[in-house]
Amino acid sequence: MEAPPRRPAINFFDLLTEEIILIILDHLRDPLARKSFSQVCKSFYSLESDHRKFIKPRILNFLPNVLRRFPSISQINFSLCPRVEDDTLSSISLAWNSSLETIDLSRSKFFTQKGLSSLATNCSSLLEINLSNRTTLTDSSLKAIGEAKNLERLWLTKCKSITDVGIGCLAVNCRKLKSICLRWCLRVTDYGVGLIAAKCKEIRSLDLSYLLITEKSLSAIFELEHLEALVLEHCHRLDDDGLVSFKKSCQSLKVLNLSHCQSITHIGLSALTNGAQNLEKIILSYSLSFTSDLAECLNDSPRLQSVNLDGIMVRCSGIRAIGNWHSSLKELSLSKCRLMSDECLSFTVQAHKELRKLDITFCRNITYASVDYITRSCPMLTSLRMESCTLVSRDAFLLIGRCQFLVEIDVADTDIDDEGLESIARCSKLCFLRLGMCLNVTDKGLSYIGSSCSKLTALDLYRLSEITDLGISSIADGCPSLEVINIAYNPNVTDNSLLSLSKCLKLRILEIRGCSCISSRGLSNIAVRCRQLTLLDIKRCNNVNDEGMIQLAQHSQKLNQIKLSCCSVTDVGLLALASMSCLNHISIYRLNKLTSYGLAAFLMSCQSLITVKLSTFFKSLLPEHIQESMEARGCVLVWREKESQAPFRWE
């Protein structure tokens, strides 16, 4: 009897339509995952090539292959490529002439108006260009950009050489502009801004920060029918005298930023916000006193939801006036308002019970009473920042658990203790928690967070002298989504903590500065398992040596930035790091076992470097031709006597 014929093996991938495969592809955010996808078979390779829309190259040597493989790129980000020349821009403009929409050149140098002209002329779909930080950008470059007739968004931050002439060429040709940033373009005057307003009628967003403009250009700006966001930071020539006769109104305006405009009082503000019925957000940080008269100017903005008064001299009458506004605020920032009192803050939060975000950082006069009113009146809070509120007693932190929708809590440099963290642990949606300099926190408090806050992604434990490996283990076990952690200057933290944290496979940023008990053994665990690591600070980790660097070089293929100081790394370890194509930023201070030859070899070998911070000790020892070679590659060498002592700050 013959055996039945064997059925052919079914390839289940053949059952998937192209549409379904592309949906799967869209959900693969990790470049390595997309690479693996394309290696499955020829059809997947072809689909991934045709479907790819975005690239962020590190080394331009491979660009010719990229141009051939990916025919439909619409977005390109050159922020990791400090040297981009005209030939590169010309090649791009020819290969992606119909698909390219967005290009970021904000960290790149060496291209001229010739390359920009190629982009503007050939790329008919070009909508957005970022040319920020090009201090040598000239008016002729703006004239070249003017050929991009469909351009909608342009960033020119710190392009300090451009003048009204270049702005005029741009305004005349790019009539579809919707957003332009002229921040720090110090040679642009009222005339240039007026031309933008007169010719580009579709403008939605305009940033004129630090410009020496007056009310003359504002008259033209306020005639823009679609203007939604106007940023006027540090515009010191704007004052009440010029604005007192200002009769224009901008009904479409939603966001107004007047921070550091210290010559504008309620008189000028009244003129600027007159008729702004759609105003949703206003920023008045570091300007003049916030009085009841100034508050009254904003009472006629029924849609106002966000107010920033950071660093302002807040009068009690002004804060109480906020409590009488017709609108219901969602966001209120009062950071560094030194005169803020319990009475004023309590009155305000009772009136604005729909607050979602409240920042009272460095308000050193508030006490238990304010926290009581905040937590009772605003149960829907998602963000509470109260760093350095030093008069708030320990028992006040027991009240924070009332606000169970909190996603972000900053109580750094306060008297919070383990019982306070037990209350905070009731906030099961918590993602960001800052506890730096909270000296009453121990492992017990961290165990509460680890057991209840499984969604935690960022944790600051800077200088918590009472925590040990046990507390870190609680966090690592209970918070598998952790991406950022700062455990700097904690003397009781050892390699066992890093072994625990190696379970957090999404870890991106790790600061272990000043943890003297950590060695290369612990660092190796992080390198092997935490493949998403992008930033590492190991300054003052004396027991970290070349073995740790070798492990990083072998396994941490996404490490973008590393800070080295006062550790035992030698030429061997540094040269191991040179093999990392992803390494863009490095700080090197007080490596006593490092020689000038080893440093020179590292600098010449590591082709991906963008910024290198070095001790001035090496400046005279490093051959001049190497320094010149680095500059020619677009890499910036920053010489300092000693490293910065500021801790890493995350948002």
Side-chain angles (χ1 to χ4, degrees):
M1 184 176 180
E2 294 184 7
R6 297 179 63 183
R7 289 185 177 183
I10 298 176
N11 184 350
F12 290 99
F13 285 123
D14 292 336
L15 303 178
L16 300 177
T17 65
E18 182 175 312
E19 182 181 3
I20 292 175
I21 294 174
L22 292 179
I23 291 173
I24 294 172
L25 186 57
D26 285 336
H27 283 78
L28 298 180
R29 307 297 184 189
D30 189 335
L32 293 178
R34 295 181 70 95
K35 182 178 180 180
S36 298
F37 176 95
S38 67
Q39 292 173 341
V40 171
C41 58
K42 289 183 178 180
S43 61
F44 277 25
Y45 180 91
S46 178
L47 279 173
E48 200 275 332
S49 297
D50 293 339
H51 191 61
R52 178 77 70 90
K53 302 298 181 184
F54 172 79
I55 61 169
K56 189 176 182 178
R58 294 181 180 276
I59 300 176
L60 293 181
N61 295 348
F62 303 112
L63 189 60
N65 294 333
V66 172
L67 294 173
R68 287 191 295 270
R69 179 179 171 185
F70 305 111
S72 304
I73 295 296
S74 60
Q75 301 176 53
I76 183 166
N77 186 333
F78 278 119
S79 60
L80 300 179
C81 299
R83 187 179 185 97
V84 176
E85 297 180 339
D86 291 336
D87 289 344
T88 300
L89 297 183
S90 178
S91 299
I92 288 170
S93 70
L94 295 175
W96 299 319
N97 59 335
S98 60
S99 63
L100 189 64
E101 297 179 357
T102 301
I103 185 167
D104 187 342
L105 294 164
S106 61
R107 300 295 177 185
S108 306
K109 304 176 184 177
F110 300 102
F111 59 86
T112 68
Q113 66 266 25
K114 181 181 177 182
L116 293 174
S117 180
S118 298
L119 282 175
T121 303
N122 297 328
C123 299
S124 57
S125 300
L126 194 61
L127 300 177
E128 179 177 339
I129 305 177
N130 191 339
L131 296 170
S132 298
N133 305 308
R134 280 302 309 273
T135 55
T136 58
L137 195 77
T138 62
D139 290 336
S140 57
S141 296
L142 289 190
K143 183 178 180 181
I145 295 170
E147 296 301 317
K149 305 297 184 183
N150 294 315
L151 194 66
E152 293 183 358
R153 298 175 294 277
L154 179 62
W155 277 264
L156 297 170
T157 302
K158 292 187 178 179
C159 294
K160 298 181 181 181
S161 298
I162 62 175
T163 70
D164 293 338
V165 175
I167 294 296
C169 294
L170 188 73
V172 168
N173 292 292
C174 299
R175 301 294 185 96
K176 296 182 181 180
L177 268 180
K178 294 181 179 179
S179 176
I180 184 168
C181 178
L182 298 174
R183 191 181 188 90
W184 279 105
C185 296
L186 301 179
R187 300 178 67 184
V188 176
T189 69
D190 283 328
Y191 182 71
V193 174
L195 286 173
I196 289 285
K199 301 296 183 181
C200 305
K201 297 296 186 180
E202 298 296 317
I203 289 286
R204 265 75 166 169
S205 175
L206 189 57
D207 189 341
L208 306 175
S209 300
Y210 294 90
L211 269 59
L212 300 178
I213 57 171
T214 68
E215 71 283 353
K216 294 178 182 178
S217 55
L218 291 185
S219 296
I221 290 170
F222 272 51
E223 291 182 358
L224 293 167
E225 295 181 0
H226 306 289
L227 184 66
E228 295 180 355
L230 179 60
V231 184
L232 300 170
E233 288 185 50
H234 286 275
C235 290
H236 296 304
R237 289 193 177 179
L238 292 176
D239 56 28
D240 289 345
D241 291 339
L243 295 172
V244 68
S245 59
F246 192 72
K247 301 300 181 183
K248 303 284 185 179
S249 65
C250 186
Q251 296 184 2
S252 60
L253 194 65
K254 294 181 179 180
V255 179
L256 178 61
N257 187 338
L258 294 172
S259 62
H260 295 274
C261 291
Q262 298 187 351
S263 298
I264 297 179
T265 68
H266 67 280
I267 297 172
L269 182 63
S270 178
L272 291 173
T273 57
N274 177 41
Q277 294 295 304
N278 292 303
L279 191 65
E280 297 176 358
K281 181 176 183 178
I282 188 162
I283 302 174
L284 300 173
S285 56
Y286 301 98
S287 53
L288 291 180
S289 298
F290 191 79
T291 63
S292 57
D293 289 333
L294 197 146
E296 188 61 32
C297 297
L298 301 172
N299 197 21
D300 293 328
S301 300
R303 299 187 180 181
L304 190 62
Q305 295 184 0
S306 177
V307 175
N308 187 319
L309 302 176
D310 291 351
I312 202 170
M313 189 70 72
V314 174
R315 304 294 181 187
C316 190
S317 59
I319 290 297
R320 291 183 67 87
I322 292 178
N324 295 320
W325 280 353
H326 302 314
S327 60
S328 181
L329 293 181
K330 298 292 194 301
E331 300 178 8
L332 178 60
S333 187
L334 301 168
S335 175
K336 299 181 182 179
C337 292
R338 292 177 297 160
L339 299 182
M340 181 59 59
S341 65
D342 286 334
E343 178 188 359
C344 297
L345 184 57
S346 301
F347 182 81
T348 301
V349 296
Q350 288 181 83
H352 295 277
K353 296 185 177 182
E354 295 184 16
L355 270 178
R356 299 296 189 271
K357 295 183 179 182
L358 178 63
D359 189 344
I360 49 175
T361 300
F362 288 100
C363 291
R364 299 182 185 274
N365 293 327
I366 67 169
T367 67
Y368 176 99
S370 287
V371 179
D372 184 25
Y373 276 106
I374 290 168
T375 54
R376 279 196 290 112
S377 303
C378 307
M380 303 301 290
L381 273 179
T382 60
S383 174
L384 177 61
R385 295 186 175 189
M386 48 186 299
E387 177 184 355
S388 295
C389 293
T390 50
L391 290 185
V392 175
S393 58
R394 294 187 188 186
D395 52 344
F397 295 101
L398 301 176
L399 308 176
I400 294 179
R402 293 172 176 171
C403 303
Q404 297 187 21
F405 294 97
L406 279 167
V407 174
E408 176 185 21
I409 299 176
D410 182 354
V411 288
D413 190 23
T414 64
D415 283 337
I416 190 171
D417 58 10
D418 294 338
E419 291 185 21
L421 288 183
E422 185 178 13
S423 175
I424 285 178
R426 293 165 59 191
C427 306
S428 59
K429 300 179 184 295
L430 192 64
C431 294
F432 306 93
L433 177 61
R434 291 196 66 234
L435 298 170
M437 301 290 290
C438 295
L439 304 182
N440 299 316
V441 170
T442 71
D443 292 338
K444 184 178 180 181
L446 294 186
S447 70
Y448 294 133
I449 299 298
S451 63
S452 302
C453 302
S454 60
K455 296 182 180 180
L456 197 70
T457 59
L459 178 63
D460 177 15
L461 302 175
Y462 177 75
R463 290 189 185 273
L464 299 192
S465 57
E466 297 299 318
I467 66 169
T468 69
D469 294 332
L470 184 62
I472 301 299
S473 178
S474 299
I475 294 296
D477 290 339
C479 308
S481 298
L482 196 68
E483 297 180 16
V484 180
I485 188 166
N486 181 350
I487 52 176
Y489 295 107
N490 291 318
N492 301 316
V493 168
T494 72
D495 288 335
N496 290 330
S497 286
L498 296 194
L499 179 60
S500 298
L501 289 173
S502 67
K503 303 172 189 175
C504 302
L505 303 184
K506 296 181 180 180
L507 194 65
R508 295 183 298 106
I509 297 175
L510 174 63
E511 179 160 359
I512 51 178
R513 178 191 304 202
C515 294
S516 56
C517 294
I518 284 177
S519 70
S520 291
R521 184 173 67 88
L523 187 58
S524 296
N525 288 314
I526 294 291
V528 171
R529 300 198 65 190
C530 301
R531 300 299 183 91
Q532 305 301 315
L533 194 67
T534 59
L535 187 151
L536 176 65
D537 187 342
I538 52 175
K539 291 179 178 178
R540 304 182 186 278
C541 293
N542 301 320
N543 295 318
V544 172
N545 56 27
D546 293 337
E547 180 58 31
M549 300 303 100
I550 292 171
Q551 292 296 320
L552 288 171
Q554 290 179 350
H555 302 288
S556 299
Q557 295 304 309
K558 292 187 177 182
L559 189 63
N560 173 267
Q561 182 176 355
I562 187 169
K563 301 178 181 181
L564 300 173
S565 174
C566 297
C567 50
S568 300
V569 175
T570 71
D571 296 352
V572 174
L574 202 59
L575 285 172
L577 294 179
S579 65
M580 304 178 71
S581 61
C582 55
L583 189 61
N584 300 133
H585 309 280
I586 187 168
S587 301
I588 303 173
Y589 298 98
R590 298 177 65 184
L591 297 184
N592 296 330
K593 298 181 180 181
L594 179 67
T595 69
S596 58
Y597 300 105
L599 177 60
F602 166 75
L603 293 176
M604 295 302 293
S605 302
C606 193
Q607 296 294 310
S608 58
L609 289 173
I610 295 175
T611 306
V612 181
K613 296 180 179 180
L614 293 164
S615 170
T616 52
F617 169 78
F618 285 110
K619 190 167 188 179
S620 60
L621 301 177
L622 199 64
E624 190 172 334
H625 74 273
I626 291 181
Q627 298 183 43
E628 293 174 352
S629 175
M630 298 297 291
E631 292 174 1
R633 279 162 40 189
C635 179
V636 178
L637 299 180
V638 180
W639 303 97
R640 289 181 179 170
E641 194 66 36
K642 58 182 179 179
E643 74 271 23
S644 170
Q645 297 300 311
F648 173 76
R649 296 298 297 269
W650 49 265
E651 294 295 337

